[in-house]
Amino acid sequence: MARTVEPEFQGARRRLVEAIRDKGINDLAVLRAFEMTPRHAFVPTGLRHKAYEDAPLPIGSGQTISQPSIHAKYLELLRLTGREKVLEIGTGSGYQTVLLAHLVAQVFSIERIPALVQQAKLNIQAAGVTNVSLLLGDGTVGWREYAPYDAILVSAASPSVPEPLKEQLAEGGRLLVPIGGKDEQELVMITRKGTEFLRENILAVRFVPLLGTHGWRENEKGK
């Protein structure tokens, strides 16, 4: 069972869910996942008073937790049914990972920063979900051992679509990834149809750089 939200955060959580709904998110399963997931438990203690604002927040190691309405948009775009096997690139503090865990059969999540992997592991355990597997590594190469995936979510911006992630999509699978430079990107959805990959541009977004073999290199990020 998921951990209940402490009483002092219950009103703020409900207001956040309504704010997400007001921004056009109508998928009831997605809204329920936000109701079940205590965002304040995934941000630094000193920022918990801001946890239920619809805004990104720093989580350490130069990384951020995205604004909830962006998470919600990602999840609604994927049209999840509850039976999927999903790959997440960029675990961060584990917030989106737990949202996904409430929406799909199995989540595989990759994070390149050791300190975040350790924190996410604790956060995910505390949230009470058991259908998540974590890997410390280069997310741009994916996790071939458990491919193919029905959906892949990338939580950082890449200069182009990483080819290994396309290859690890199942037939009909969907990949969401921000593509662009350091200042702004376009959220792109790639859908696999046999040997073809259909591309759809969704909306303008801003994410931290996706570092790795098939993303930005450490010495060129943001150029």
Side-chain angles (χ1 to χ4, degrees):
M1 292 293 293
R3 172 177 51 187
T4 58
V5 176
E6 285 87 336
E8 67 267 30
F9 292 110
Q10 287 179 352
R13 177 195 57 178
R14 284 192 293 268
R15 288 190 293 275
L16 174 61
V17 172
E18 287 306 312
I20 292 170
R21 193 195 306 268
D22 289 344
K23 290 194 174 183
I25 304 300
N26 298 309
D27 187 317
L28 295 179
V30 171
L31 294 171
R32 180 173 177 269
F34 278 86
E35 290 175 353
M36 296 172 67
T37 307
R39 190 174 187 246
H40 67 274
F42 296 85
V43 302
T45 304
L47 293 174
R48 288 190 170 185
H49 63 290
K50 295 185 175 182
Y52 293 98
E53 297 176 6
D54 188 25
L57 294 171
I59 55 172
S61 302
Q63 304 300 297
T64 61
I65 184 172
S66 295
Q67 67 187 88
S69 59
I70 291 293
H71 285 305
K73 185 68 174 178
Y74 259 61
L75 299 173
E76 185 169 71
L77 283 167
L78 291 173
R79 302 185 302 278
L80 300 167
T81 65
R83 299 184 295 272
E84 292 88 357
K85 178 170 62 173
V86 174
L87 177 65
E88 178 189 40
I89 308 303
T91 314
S93 63
Y95 179 61
Q96 181 175 258
T97 318
V98 172
L99 291 171
L100 278 166
H102 292 311
L103 291 166
V104 303
Q106 199 162 17
V107 182
F108 295 88
S109 188
I110 307 174
E111 173 56 55
R112 69 179 183 85
I113 300 173
L116 290 181
V117 172
Q118 292 303 314
Q119 188 59 54
K121 185 178 296 185
L122 295 174
N123 291 343
I124 291 165
Q125 289 172 348
V129 297
T130 58
N131 57 338
V132 173
S133 299
L134 296 181
L135 176 69
L136 173 65
D138 180 354
T140 70
V141 302
W143 197 343
R144 292 188 184 276
E145 183 179 356
Y146 298 103
Y149 300 98
D150 302 300
I152 301 176
L153 295 81
V154 183
S155 299
S158 182
S160 60
V161 181
E163 286 297 320
L165 300 186
K166 291 167 60 177
E167 295 166 3
Q168 291 172 43
L169 277 178
E171 171 62 24
R174 299 168 300 283
L175 162 64
L176 276 174
V177 54
I179 300 296
K182 76 167 182 180
D183 292 324
E184 58 183 44
Q185 307 94 32
E186 189 83 13
L187 181 60
V188 170
M189 180 184 284
I190 304 293
T191 304
R192 182 167 199 162
K193 300 293 184 183
T195 58
E196 295 187 349
F197 295 90
L198 309 180
R199 175 170 173 154
E200 179 184 0
N201 291 349
I202 306 295
L203 77 163
V205 290
R206 292 190 70 176
F207 281 83
V208 296
L210 177 68
L211 301 184
T213 305
H214 299 273
W216 295 104
R217 301 301 178 97
E218 186 71 46
N219 63 351
E220 67 179 5
K221 63 179 180 179
K223 289 185 180 178

